[in-house]
Amino acid sequence: EIVMTQTPLSSPVTLGQPASISCRSSQSLVQSNGKTYLSWLQQRPGQPPRLLIYEISNRFSGVPDRFSGSGAGTDFTLKISRVEAEDVGVYYCMQGAHFPRTFGQGTKVEIK
Amino acid sequence: EVQLLESGGGLVQPGGSLRLSCAASGFTFSSYDMSWVRQAPGMGLEWVAGISTDGSLRDYADSVKGRFTISRDNSKNTLYLQMNSLRVDDTAVYYCANFGGGHWGQGTLVTVSS
């Protein structure tokens, strides 16, 4: 099973300031088709998860451009360029390259 | 508009069974692999099971293997999860998800308690 490790687990941020979350996988997520199946999800309080980023860096439909993803191989990063109040919640990385699918522990983003 | 609507959750005693359903609309259901993901109270996300487009390939988390069965009916645009021999630690909100299309349902709560 691929282990996904996120840091930090908690991120207090001032409104308008950037935030960054790291995710490391225990094995490469690169598939034979050359694609890397690493996604980022956002879960606001009381809501289901919502896809933000897929294949490392592709923003899903309707996701604001203040969210960006980067990385390669086993190391990935989600950045929020300027945190807004609606960004409060828990963020998860997820690998879709191997079964079983696995998630990071989650990073709680909150406003200072 | 894409919708994934789960149903079938509820309170069940340890050792009991439940069948969850997920009704899909707004996309070509038969073209996507589907999954069930659960979230225990106050905890993170755990992938439970996945099924290929035609139902020929299925995989399960070790924690539910031999107890849960995922299936689908493409003629009804519906995904299922049959849960048997339920345990207290199966208590969670269960989400239906289309990872390839980026869509998640609202979830249905399963509580296993005596």
Side-chain angles (χ1 to χ4, degrees):
Chain A
E1 172 177 314
I2 294 179
V3 177
M4 306 296 288
T5 303
Q6 286 182 231
T7 55
L9 298 184
S10 178
S11 180
V13 185
T14 301
L15 284 174
Q17 293 301 302
S20 181
I21 301 169
S22 295
C23 175
R24 175 168 289 177
S25 60
S26 60
Q27 296 177 38
S28 172
L29 303 182
V30 182
Q31 287 290 77
S32 56
N33 60 7
K35 293 185 178 182
T36 302
Y37 293 97
L38 184 284
S39 301
W40 289 96
L41 306 166
Q42 175 196 60
Q43 188 173 31
R44 292 170 171 154
Q47 295 293 313
R50 164 198 178 201
L51 178 64
L52 292 178
I53 303 283
Y54 63 96
E55 293 172 22
I56 302 179
S57 60
N58 297 286
R59 268 188 304 276
F60 188 59
S61 174
V63 174
D65 61 7
R66 65 179 181 274
F67 291 95
S68 64
S70 63
T74 61
D75 287 284
F76 309 96
T77 303
L78 174 71
K79 291 183 179 176
I80 310 173
S81 59
R82 294 172 305 280
V83 172
E84 298 188 5
E86 66 178 19
D87 300 335
V88 165
V90 180
Y91 292 77
Y92 297 92
C93 59
M94 187 199 93
Q95 66 83 14
H98 304 280
F99 283 102
R101 308 306 194 205
T102 46
F103 298 87
Q105 317 96 299
T107 295
K108 187 173 186 177
V109 172
E110 53 193 357
I111 305 301
K112 275 184 190 173
Chain B
E1 180 194 2
V2 171
Q3 280 200 321
L4 294 171
L5 187 60
E6 302 93 339
S7 60
L11 175 63
V12 62
Q13 291 189 336
S17 298
L18 276 180
R19 187 173 90 149
L20 306 183
S21 299
C22 170
S25 60
F27 67 101
T28 305
F29 179 73
S30 59
S31 295
Y32 288 91
D33 296 346
M34 296 293 296
S35 288
W36 287 97
V37 175
R38 69 184 180 182
Q39 187 170 36
M43 302 296 284
L45 302 170
E46 179 189 16
W47 177 83
V48 172
I51 187 167
S52 60
T53 54
D54 64 357
S56 61
L57 297 174
R58 311 178 193 199
D59 206 351
Y60 300 90
D62 285 346
S63 57
V64 307
K65 205 168 286 186
R67 302 187 298 122
F68 290 11
T69 302
I70 189 172
S71 62
R72 66 190 297 162
D73 185 337
N74 287 342
S75 68
K76 294 182 179 179
N77 290 342
T78 303
L79 177 72
Y80 302 100
L81 186 68
Q82 177 67 43
M83 305 187 295
N84 298 330
S85 303
L86 281 161
R87 310 190 299 222
V88 171
D89 62 358
D90 293 319
T91 295
V93 174
Y94 284 73
Y95 296 103
C96 161
N98 165 6
F99 292 151
H103 302 109
W104 292 65
Q106 291 294 311
T108 187
L109 176 62
V110 172
T111 303
V112 185
S113 174
S114 54

